[in-house]
Structure formats: C-alpha cells, structure tokens
Amino acid sequence: MTELRNDDGERKQVTVLFADVSGSMDLAEQQDPEEWRKIMQRFFSMLADAVARFEGTVDKFTGDGIMAIFGAPVAHEDHARRACYAALQMLDDVAEYAAELRRGPGLNFSTRIGINSGEVIAGAISPGAGGAYTAIGHTVGLAQRMEALAEPGRAYLTEHAAALATGFLDLDDLGEFEIKGASKPVRVFELAGVGAARSRLDLARERGFSRFVGRTAEMEALEAALAEAKSGAGGAVGLVADPGVGKSRLSHEFVQHCRVEGVEVFEAQAQAHGQGIPFMPVLQMLRSFFGIGESEPEQLAREKIAGRALLLDASFGDDLPLMFDFLGVPDPDRPVPQMSAEARQRALGGIVCRLVNAPSRRKTLVLVLEDLHWVDEASNAMLGGLIESIEGTNTLAVVNYRPEYEPPWAAATHYRAIELSPLERADTAELLTDLAGTDPSLDGLDEPIHERTQGNPFFIEEIVRELAECGHLAGERGAYRLVAPIEGAGVPVTVQAILAARIDRLDPSSKELLQVASVVGKEVSTRALGLTAGLEPGQIDRALCDLIEAGFLYDAEIYPQRVLAFRHPLTREVAYGTQLAEHRRQTHAAAARATIELEGSRHDELAGLIGHHLAEGGETLEAARWFARAAHWAGHSQPRDALRLWRRVTELTTELDENEETIALALLSRMLQLEYAWRLGMDRTEADTLAAEAVAIAERHGDASSLALLKLLIGARPGVAERSSEWVNAATEATELADGAGDPALRVAVRSAAVYAHMCAGDLDGVEAAVDELIELTGDDPALGAGIVVGCPLAWGPMAKAMALRERDQVEEAEALLDQALRMATEREDPETESWALGTKSLLLADRGDVEGALALTRRNRELTERLGDVFSRSTALTATAYVQLIAGENEEALGTVQLSDRLYRKAMGVGGEAEAWRSTLRARAVHPPGPPAAGRGGVVGGGGPAPRPENGWQIPPALHLLAQARAACGRDGVEEALAEAAKYATARGHTMTLRRVEADQQALTAT
C-alpha cells in the first residue's frame, strides 16, 4: 500500500479556531520584551490547555496567538461543538488573567477568537519529507478572517460552524458581512454561551420529532422489562446500534411511555468531549435524582439532597458531606473526611447503589443512561456496580451504546442486549413521507434514499435536509416537491463527521485498506483488494478482520472466492472522499490492472468497470477503448447502458489527440448514440449536435461508410421524418451510399432500417423487397450487419415480412415467419426483435379469435420490454397490448394501456412519432366502440386524437375505416364516402386484411 500513498494528506471536515491578543503590538510596546514573553507564555498555555481539554490540536503558534484544529488528525463527530467549548474556556480563562494584568502592570489585555468549519487538506505539508502536520484550504483562511473581525473579548463563528453548533451553543446572529477572500457575503454569529441541547435528540425535539417508525418489537421488549421490574424482578436492558439507527429516539419514546404510566425516570448521558471528565454521567443522574437545576443556589441544593436522601434512609446522614462534595455543593460546616481516591470511589459507588435500591422505596424506578460508548472509566466502574445491584429489585436500567463498547456487566443474567436493526424499506418510505410529503414528484424517492442510507433514520433525515438546502427539494418539511435530480447530492457534513470519526478510530493499516476498498468498488474480492493494495493475501487478513469486526465490511460471498462488501454505502462515500485526488488516481489505475489480471474470462462483462477505473486513473485512451468494448457488449439488449457508455467514449475522445484510432472512436461513439436516441429518447439539441459533429468528422476524413449510416440516422431513424416519403427517400439514399461504400455489413444494416421506412409508408411491396435483399446479402451469416441498426438482421427480416403478410391477410405464412424470427432472435440474444415478433404474433392471434393466447403473449412481451428498458419497444409493446385488449372487450383497460404508451413515448421523445396515429385510432375505439347508432354515443369524430399524417400510409386505411364507423355511430353523413376512400387506400397498398373489414361494413351498410 505504501506505493499508493506518496504522503499522508487527507480531505477532512474540521473546525478551525484562531485566537490572538487584541492590540498585541501596542501592548508589546508598553512592556519590556522579557516581561512580555512571560505574559504571552502564560497566554499560550491557557489557550493550549483549552484546546487539549476538548481534544483539539494546536496547529501552530502565530506570534501573538494560535491556530487550532478540531477533527484532525483524528476526526470528531462534534468537532464544531468542541471548538466552541474550547473558545468559551479561553474567553473565561483569559478574562480572569486580564483582570490580574489590569491590577498588576495595568495592561488592557483581551483575546479575540474566530471559528469556521469546512473541508481542509490535512497532513504533513512541506517542501521536503518530515513536514509538520497542518491544515490548508479556504476554511482556514475564513477562520482567520473571523478572528480579525471579532471584537476584543468575543468569539465569532461563520455560518458554516454555526450550522453545526446551533442548539448546543447559544449564538447571536450578527448578520452578513463582506469578507475579503469570500465570493459572497458570509453570515456571522457571536458565541454567547452554552446552549440547551446536549444531544442530537434535543435538536430533533426543538425542530419537531419525525414519525417514530419500525420499532414495535423493541418497544414491546422494553415494556415487558418494565413489567418485570414492577413485579420485583428488576434488571437491565441495553440498546445496541450504530450511530443514527435510533437508540436515543427509542429510549425517549420509552421514557414517555413510563411517565404516562406514572413511573419515575432519571436520565443521564455520556458526552463525546467528556471522556476525560470523571463521573460526568453519574453526576448528571444524581442531579436528576435530587432535582438539582443548572444554577441552583448551593444551600438549596444541599437541602434537596439531604431531604430526599434522609427520607429514603436515615443512615444517609453520615454520607451527606461526601454527597455534597461530589455534587459540587460542599458544606463548609461539615467537611469530607480524609480518604484515598480508591476509598472515595468505593464509598460513592455504595451510596449510589443504596439510593437506587433503598428498602423504603416501593415505587418502580427507571434509569436511562445514554451513549455509554463515551463513558469515562470511573463512571463505567460505578455503573457496573449499580447495574449488578438492581437484580431482583423494582428498578429497571436502560442503557444504550454503539457496538464498539463492551459493558462490564454483559454476562449478567439479569441483563439483556437488544440490537437495533436499520429500518426496512417500508419504514423508510413511511418516514420519508412524514419528512418530505406526498407530492407526485417524490414517487420512488424512497428507493434511492433507502439504498444510500440503508434505513438509518438519522441519515435519512439529514439527507432530506441536505436535499432541501441544496435546492433538490423545494417547499417545506412535510410538503416538499422534487425540482432537481438527486444524483450527485453530497453526504451531509453531519453524517460525514460521524462516519469519519469511526474510520479514524481504525489503526492506520486498516484505515488505508478501507480507503483502497472504497476506490475498488461496493464489492471487492480479497484477491483484487490485495493486488490493488500491493499486499499478499496473508498480509491483509488482520486488517480485514478489524474492518469486519468494526462493521465496515462484511462477507458478501465466500465461494468460489471471498468477496467483501461495504455494510453501508455512505461509509464508502466518506472513505473515498477523504482521500486526495492523486491517491485516488493511483488506486483506480491499480484497480484496473488488478481486474484485468484476475478476471481474464470476464473482460467483456467487466469492461465498463475497467474503463471507469482507467478514466479515474488518468489513462484516457485505454479508458475509451474499454468503454467502447463495454458498450458493444451491452448492445441492444441493454440500451440504456450502451448509450451511457458511448457518451463516455465521446467525452474521453475529446481529451485525446487525433489519430486513426481516436477518430474512429469519436465517430463511432456519436453515431451509436444517435442509434440509441430513437430507442430511448434524447434532447433534440443534443441529437443535432451529435449529428453535426459526426458528419463533420466523417467528411473531414472521407469516410463513405459512416456518411451512409449517418444519412440513415439523421433522416430515416424512427420519430424523425414528418412524412413517410421523406423517410423512404432518406433510406433509399442511405442504401445507395452503403452499396457504393462496399461494406457488406453496412449494406445489410441499412436495409434493416429501410424495411421499417417502407413499413411506416404502408408500402408492403417495398417491405418485402427490402427484406428479400437483406436475406440474400446476409446469406447464412447471422452475425453480418448485427448490432449496427438491429441486433440480428436475419431475425428482423422475417419478422418484418410477417407484418406485411399479416396486412395481406396471409396469416399462416406470417405465423411461420414469426416463429422463425422468434427462434433466431432468441438464439442471437436480440430481445428487441423478439419483442417485435411477440407483439406482431399477439395481433395475429387476436385477429383470428385466440384472445387468451394473444393476451398471454402481450404479458410476456411487456415483461421483456420492461427488462430491456427501451422506451420505443415498451411503447410499441403497450400499443399492441391495447389492440388485443380491445378485441378482448377490455375497453377500459385498453384505454389506460394506450394512454400509458403515449405518455411514455412523448415524455422520452417529445413528439408522438410514427405510431401516434395507431395509438389515436385505438384510443378512439376504446372510448367509443364502433357499432350501430345510439343515443349519447356522439363525439367520436375529431375526438380520438390526431389523424394520421397525410403520407403516413401505414395507418391511413384503418383510420378512414374508424372515421366511417364513427360517422355511422353518430348518425352523420359521409359513411359511404369514408368507407370508399378506406377501400381505395387499402386496395392500392395491398392491405387485404383492412380491405376485408371495410368491405364487410360496406355490405352491412348496403343491407341496411
């Protein structure tokens, strides 16, 4: 791994604090340098002590002040709060020192502090090796600007730091300031003191709790434990889960339940910055037990302590001095007896146990102790004794902690641990509805959010807040609407801080391996991981054990090879994002080489992944080659993937110098994007730009074959031509150009497109002629021309000819060709042609009365096109389904199906396309089934949607037939004329099936 890491620099979310002496130059001038040195040494000592108390790092001394970092080199999830607490400590200490200096040398001494939070590059930064650890970036400069802006004796925060500290700290909004070096005004806050919040739950309470979901079983378990305590079988329950899963919220809901039942509850919480402060949670619990407020007068506090303790047991009288002293309200008249630290701790532990388990107490008592993963050592020992003592009492202790904490009482028989799982998908959807609302634009949003957050409630809430703040969601909580795609949305800084803190607790080798894994992918084999990291399998075993035990990775597969996966997607994002771009580049390139070496038999399947690693690794030409390989492999069976991959080839080739290979890749990638545009939809401007660029490249290099195909793609692809005559002319010209170019594969491919042009023109003779030429040119080679326009021309040809034969009413011949096309499409893995064949056969079966068989084929076809993801094929399959549903008498279902088909096509393509007239005809038949005149059945004429375009010959005969039936149904004139015109068009084009139906209506009309 050392080869992948040139330095130890990392991207980190931190809080930077600057503090200096206000007016230091003037003050220094008034003092002898030696005296001034003494003053500044004491000042620096105060600042450094405050930084150390809250586990920050003094980055440097600045001459008259310091720069400190919180959250690096070891990340802290509460880095902004720690910086603010340190600032308050500095202000208090310096104010006390300033008073001393005013009384002595008469100096007007004060400090000013600036704080900012954000991303920095942290590490050893110097021209040579062995540089000092520091942080650089705009975040640092803005913190220094805050220091310069601050008034003497004040601490100023940017809006970025304030966003992380609000609630936990008391802040005064000073408004926006123009700051040198900032592109826009910065909102500035003054640090006024400690806020009311002590946890994220307190903040959630202030904002308004989200819906409590997915914890029914856990609540039932806690209620059962409470019932046991009420019966005298007290014990302890531990709620164990990763950060954000909902330990504190579950504890809160249980506390509310207890209080509703009249059960007395006392709460305490360990703090991340309090691990070095002995007995912090025990003191919280006792203050809660005695009802002592934050700023309680000492005499009143002693009265409360004595009153409750003596009421429980008169023997506590001898313990009052120690209790007073422990709780910070010593009685000057009753000093604490001299004793060792160990004896004092044992005595205090005994007092706590006796208070909780006093024989005179008859009521059930619940103790809630939160976040024990941050508990100090002394409190941990005392709580162990307390929990041991409550067995068989009417006391219930509920504790919560993260998996890395191991409680000393874990083996006790009266203790039970409950591991909280993340929310299920349905619970995520319910929570998201509460947070975001039910606007139709949010439909399906729960799926990517659940996938990204893995059902972590806190992460879900923060992701929604981040989406709103970044403009992806508009509105207000519970009533948002989606206004921008969520792809590319960043990880909220609150979530980053939590996950980065967990990552930084790993030993260096495990952390580095996790970062390598984050580059390789969501899943990675141990062989690929070892090869990428430059380690032998035995060398990574220990680090992998640490990563699995800590919950970062898990075994996704163990056979035939071991594959590891990230337990949480956001962990991978954070581990990836903390690395410097150069580190990632080197690792991506190594991952590509490892995949190529290890997966020789899967190169086609993994070509896209290899291309991604090579592109991110800076190997642009190699990346373009592998992306092109991946796009060919995806082909028409995975059109969305193919389009995305060809786009990447185009992007990469623009970065390369022109040579024969890069020109070919640039041209091919543009042409094939146009080829997929009619299947999936593409912005018209993008399509026109691609076409113009491709033509320019082909003309510049005299590429006749490409010009022939471009003629087809620009003028004769589905959805482009307004008139079928234009379409046929473009297809004919493309065919001539292809024949002139002499490329056999291109000649076959162009005729595949010409078949469709003739089909839409209603030119059945042209369809059959083009198919016959295609089959003759193809011979016995099913691969010739494959994948250029259609997946398999040798399957497409018989399918298209079957469509023509169906129109000619040659049903048996058509069915035989369709079966041949289906076999060939299946063999050659051409799902697009398979779909067309299934759709056409469903029409054929419906025409001859086999409705059940036809409906079965439509279901199969729709399933196929759903998997295919091709808008054109899906829309065509839906339209064929509507046709069959009408024949089955399912008019309402048919209407819904054809409307869905139309919406789907228009949304993707922006126009109705050549099938618009067919859909309009079916829609009209669904709304007003043709039949004899009847009251209330008017309105068909003109109400069924747009008529077929004048030269869209395919649908003119059935549309005129429908017009005649509509006039008849409404009792209007012109029925005979419409039938006559329909018969004329059908006869001229050889549409025997439609002609037979028209003639049947003519005979019926004559008979009436």
Side-chain angles (χ1 to χ4, degrees):
M1 281 189 288
T2 54
E3 295 180 1
L4 298 178
R5 296 290 185 264
N6 295 329
D7 60 62
D8 64 348
E10 286 186 293
R11 292 178 177 270
K12 281 188 172 290
Q13 287 288 334
V14 303
T15 297
V16 180
L17 179 151
F18 277 89
D20 71 355
V21 176
S22 181
S24 61
M25 289 289 289
D26 294 335
L27 293 173
E29 187 180 21
Q30 301 170 32
Q31 296 294 307
D32 177 81
E34 195 170 334
E35 289 302 315
W36 180 245
R37 178 175 179 269
K38 292 178 181 178
I39 291 170
M40 290 304 294
Q41 281 182 325
R42 186 167 170 192
F43 172 68
F44 288 142
S45 178
M46 289 177 182
L47 301 186
D49 287 348
V51 172
R53 177 182 173 188
F54 295 97
E55 299 183 90
T57 300
V58 175
D59 181 271
K60 61 175 66 73
F61 292 97
T62 60
D64 63 349
I66 66 166
M67 169 185 163
I69 311 170
F70 295 82
V74 176
H76 293 297
E77 58 191 76
D78 58 344
H79 53 82
R81 281 178 268 162
R82 289 173 184 260
C84 290
Y85 293 144
L88 290 173
Q89 183 74 58
M90 290 176 188
L91 291 173
D92 288 345
D93 292 348
V94 173
E96 187 177 327
Y97 184 42
E100 182 183 325
L101 291 174
R102 279 195 298 273
R103 291 191 299 269
L107 292 179
N108 187 18
F109 191 90
S110 62
T111 187
R112 54 185 184 166
I113 299 172
I115 300 171
N116 183 36
S117 299
E119 188 177 62
V120 299
I121 301 299
I125 300 172
S126 70
Y133 189 93
T134 189
I136 63 172
H138 188 260
T139 296
V140 177
L142 198 51
Q144 197 164 21
R145 297 292 186 201
M146 289 298 102
E147 176 200 56
L149 183 66
E151 296 289 332
R154 307 290 177 89
Y156 284 4
L157 292 75
T158 64
E159 57 195 309
H160 314 299
L164 298 174
T166 296
F168 298 100
L169 282 303
D170 187 10
L171 306 175
D172 292 335
D173 188 346
L174 303 180
E176 291 187 339
F177 287 75
E178 294 286 346
I179 304 295
K180 185 178 179 181
S183 59
K184 58 183 180 180
V186 176
R187 186 167 290 279
V188 177
F189 295 79
E190 181 182 344
L191 179 60
V194 177
R198 294 291 180 271
S199 67
R200 289 197 305 268
L201 190 75
D202 294 333
L203 286 185
R205 184 184 291 108
E206 288 181 20
R207 293 169 178 163
F209 282 128
S210 58
R211 188 174 300 167
F212 184 58
V213 299
R215 295 288 176 243
T216 302
E218 292 86 347
M219 276 295 289
E220 289 175 352
L222 288 171
E223 290 168 11
L226 177 62
E228 290 177 1
K230 288 180 177 179
S231 68
V237 176
L239 306 177
V240 190
D242 287 328
V245 173
K247 303 178 296 294
S248 293
R249 180 63 186 277
L250 177 58
S251 299
H252 167 79
E253 295 296 332
F254 177 63
V255 166
Q256 297 305 108
H257 170 79
C258 291
R259 286 176 175 154
V260 167
E261 290 199 357
V263 177
E264 197 169 20
V265 181
F266 300 108
E267 301 174 79
Q269 182 179 41
Q271 300 286 331
H273 60 272
Q275 288 177 283
I277 304 173
F279 300 114
M280 178 183 275
V282 176
L283 286 166
Q284 281 184 17
M285 185 179 67
L286 288 178
R287 288 192 181 105
S288 173
F289 185 85
F290 291 117
I292 303 171
E294 286 287 337
S295 55
E296 199 87 61
E298 291 190 5
Q299 181 59 37
L300 180 58
R302 285 195 293 270
E303 290 173 1
K304 287 184 175 182
I305 295 167
R308 177 148 196 179
L310 295 175
L311 189 62
L312 286 171
D313 191 335
S315 65
F316 279 119
D318 295 335
D319 301 311
L320 288 177
L322 182 56
M323 294 166 68
F324 293 154
D325 186 72
F326 184 60
L327 287 162
V329 288
D331 186 349
D333 298 328
R334 300 181 66 185
V336 179
Q338 290 293 323
M339 63 180 74
S340 67
E342 292 79 3
R344 177 185 169 91
Q345 185 165 333
R346 283 196 303 273
L348 286 169
I351 290 170
V352 170
C353 292
R354 287 163 54 210
L355 285 170
V356 171
N357 301 313
S360 60
R361 181 171 58 78
R362 296 289 181 262
K363 292 184 178 179
T364 301
L365 184 69
V366 173
L367 306 176
V368 177
L369 304 163
E370 298 203 57
D371 295 332
L372 293 189
H373 45 275
W374 287 322
V375 72
D376 62 279
E377 188 175 338
S379 293
N380 198 41
M382 191 174 289
L383 292 175
L386 173 62
I387 288 177
E388 184 180 347
S389 73
I390 64 174
E391 182 178 12
T393 69
N394 55 358
T395 297
L396 172 64
V398 177
V399 300
N400 65 50
Y401 51 87
R402 296 177 184 174
E404 60 264 26
Y405 171 75
E406 295 182 7
W409 56 84
T413 57
H414 62 292
Y415 172 73
R416 175 192 175 191
I418 299 175
E419 294 187 4
L420 303 190
S421 299
L423 299 179
E424 298 290 339
R425 167 79 182 276
D427 297 322
T428 295
E430 185 179 352
L431 178 58
L432 190 60
T433 297
D434 178 62
L435 294 169
T438 57
D439 189 86
S441 65
L442 303 173
D443 289 350
L445 188 62
D446 61 305
E447 182 177 356
I449 287 183
H450 183 77
E451 173 65 24
R452 195 172 182 211
T453 63
Q454 291 293 291
N456 184 301
F458 174 68
F459 293 175
I460 293 168
E461 293 191 28
E462 292 301 295
I463 289 283
V464 170
R465 187 173 293 110
E466 178 82 1
L467 292 174
E469 291 176 356
C470 294
H472 299 272
L473 297 175
E476 58 186 20
R477 175 172 167 166
Y480 287 120
R481 66 184 187 283
L482 187 66
V483 295
I486 67 169
E487 288 78 9
V491 181
V493 292
T494 49
V495 176
Q496 284 188 53
I498 289 173
L499 296 176
R502 290 193 65 218
I503 292 170
D504 277 357
R505 284 196 294 271
L506 293 167
D507 68 64
S509 60
S510 298
K511 176 181 175 179
E512 197 167 332
L513 192 64
L514 184 73
Q515 290 177 324
V516 172
S518 74
V519 173
V520 178
K522 290 186 293 186
E523 295 187 351
V524 55
S525 72
T526 53
R527 293 174 64 208
L529 184 58
L531 193 56
T532 303
L535 298 174
E536 295 297 325
Q539 293 178 284
I540 67 173
D541 285 346
R542 180 177 175 182
L544 286 179
C545 286
D546 290 344
L547 293 173
I548 291 170
E549 186 176 340
F552 290 103
L553 302 177
Y554 68 94
D555 282 305
E557 297 177 22
I558 57 174
Y559 184 84
Q561 61 177 324
R562 189 183 185 191
V563 175
L564 299 161
F566 276 83
R567 190 168 293 281
H568 204 293
L570 289 176
T571 301
R572 181 186 174 221
E573 289 186 47
V574 172
Y576 185 87
T578 59
Q579 301 173 69
L580 298 185
E582 179 60 20
H583 291 173
R584 293 198 298 258
R585 187 191 68 76
Q586 294 170 8
T587 308
H588 275 296
R593 292 191 294 270
T595 306
I596 292 169
E597 180 178 335
L598 294 173
E599 303 289 353
S601 63
R602 300 174 64 203
H603 279 180
D604 286 340
E605 178 187 348
L606 298 176
L609 175 63
I610 294 168
H612 164 73
H613 283 309
L614 289 168
E616 294 299 318
E619 299 183 23
T620 308
L621 178 57
E622 276 298 309
R625 290 168 177 159
W626 282 93
F627 275 128
R629 182 172 181 172
H632 280 303
W633 186 77
H636 295 133
S637 62
Q638 300 172 57
R640 291 189 183 279
D641 287 340
L643 178 59
R644 173 181 56 80
L645 291 162
W646 284 123
R647 277 185 175 136
R648 288 293 288 128
V649 175
T650 297
E651 291 165 1
L652 290 168
T653 53
T654 60
E655 302 173 19
L656 296 167
D657 294 334
E658 279 198 354
N659 58 38
E660 185 177 349
E661 181 182 12
T662 60
I663 290 166
L665 285 171
L667 183 56
L668 181 64
S669 63
R670 287 168 171 82
M671 289 194 298
L672 287 176
Q673 284 181 73
L674 291 171
E675 177 64 30
Y676 287 107
W678 64 262
R679 292 175 165 91
L680 299 169
M682 180 180 288
D683 177 77
R684 185 62 180 265
T685 302
E686 181 185 1
D688 290 346
T689 300
L690 284 170
E693 291 173 351
V695 169
I697 295 170
E699 288 180 343
R700 190 163 66 246
H701 298 282
D703 188 339
S705 296
S706 294
L707 287 171
L709 189 56
L710 281 166
K711 184 67 181 177
L712 193 70
L713 292 171
I714 294 170
R717 73 175 190 266
V720 173
E722 286 294 316
R723 295 173 178 270
S724 54
S725 59
E726 297 172 2
W727 203 335
V728 171
N729 290 339
T732 301
E733 188 176 343
T735 301
E736 292 170 356
L737 288 169
D739 290 345
D743 183 340
L746 183 63
R747 295 181 70 196
V748 171
V750 167
R751 281 168 172 80
S752 301
V755 166
Y756 189 71
H758 286 291
M759 187 188 303
C760 291
D763 177 10
L764 303 186
D765 291 339
V767 170
E768 294 192 54
V771 169
D772 290 343
E773 288 180 15
L774 181 157
I775 292 174
E776 182 181 351
L777 288 169
T778 306
D780 296 327
D781 184 2
L784 190 65
I788 300 176
V789 173
V790 295
C792 178
L794 209 51
W796 170 259
M799 184 283 305
K801 191 168 187 177
M803 292 182 72
L805 292 177
R806 172 179 170 266
E807 289 291 342
R808 294 189 189 282
D809 215 14
Q810 297 175 19
V811 177
E812 291 183 3
E813 296 91 330
E815 187 170 10
L817 285 174
L818 287 171
D819 289 340
Q820 177 187 335
L822 281 169
R823 283 195 302 273
M824 180 63 70
T826 303
E827 288 173 10
R828 302 299 301 177
E829 296 182 351
D830 179 6
E832 190 175 59
T833 301
E834 182 183 356
S835 169
W836 277 79
L838 287 171
T840 304
K841 188 169 183 179
S842 71
L843 306 183
L844 189 149
L845 294 181
D847 289 339
R848 73 180 186 202
D850 184 3
V851 174
E852 289 302 318
L855 287 171
L857 285 182
T858 63
R859 287 191 291 271
R860 178 178 159 191
N861 193 14
R862 289 175 68 173
E863 290 172 2
L864 173 64
T865 56
E866 285 286 345
R867 292 196 304 273
L868 186 58
D870 174 347
V871 173
F872 188 87
S873 295
R874 281 187 65 199
S875 178
T876 303
L878 286 165
T879 307
T881 300
Y883 179 96
V884 174
Q885 288 171 330
L886 282 172
I887 291 179
E890 299 173 356
N891 287 38
E892 189 173 339
E893 291 85 349
L895 179 61
T897 302
V898 77
Q899 287 175 335
L900 174 60
S901 171
D902 195 62
R903 284 196 306 273
L904 184 71
Y905 191 92
R906 288 179 185 278
K907 181 178 179 181
M909 311 296 181
V911 294
E914 59 275 5
E916 179 181 19
W918 186 24
R919 293 195 300 270
S920 297
T921 300
L922 295 177
R923 185 166 54 245
R925 290 184 181 278
V927 174
H928 299 282
R937 290 183 53 191
V940 177
V941 181
R949 289 191 286 262
E951 292 191 30
N952 192 345
W954 180 29
Q955 279 300 305
I956 286 178
L960 288 169
H961 186 202
L962 175 65
L963 177 63
Q965 291 175 324
R967 286 175 176 172
C970 297
R972 296 188 183 182
D973 296 334
V975 176
E976 293 181 10
E977 291 81 357
L979 287 173
E981 193 171 2
K984 182 181 75 172
Y985 270 101
T987 300
R989 287 167 167 75
H991 291 205
T992 309
M993 180 181 67
T994 302
L995 179 62
R996 176 168 52 79
R997 293 170 178 171
V998 170
E999 288 175 343
D1001 277 2
Q1002 285 176 321
Q1003 293 172 6
L1005 184 64
T1006 302
T1008 58

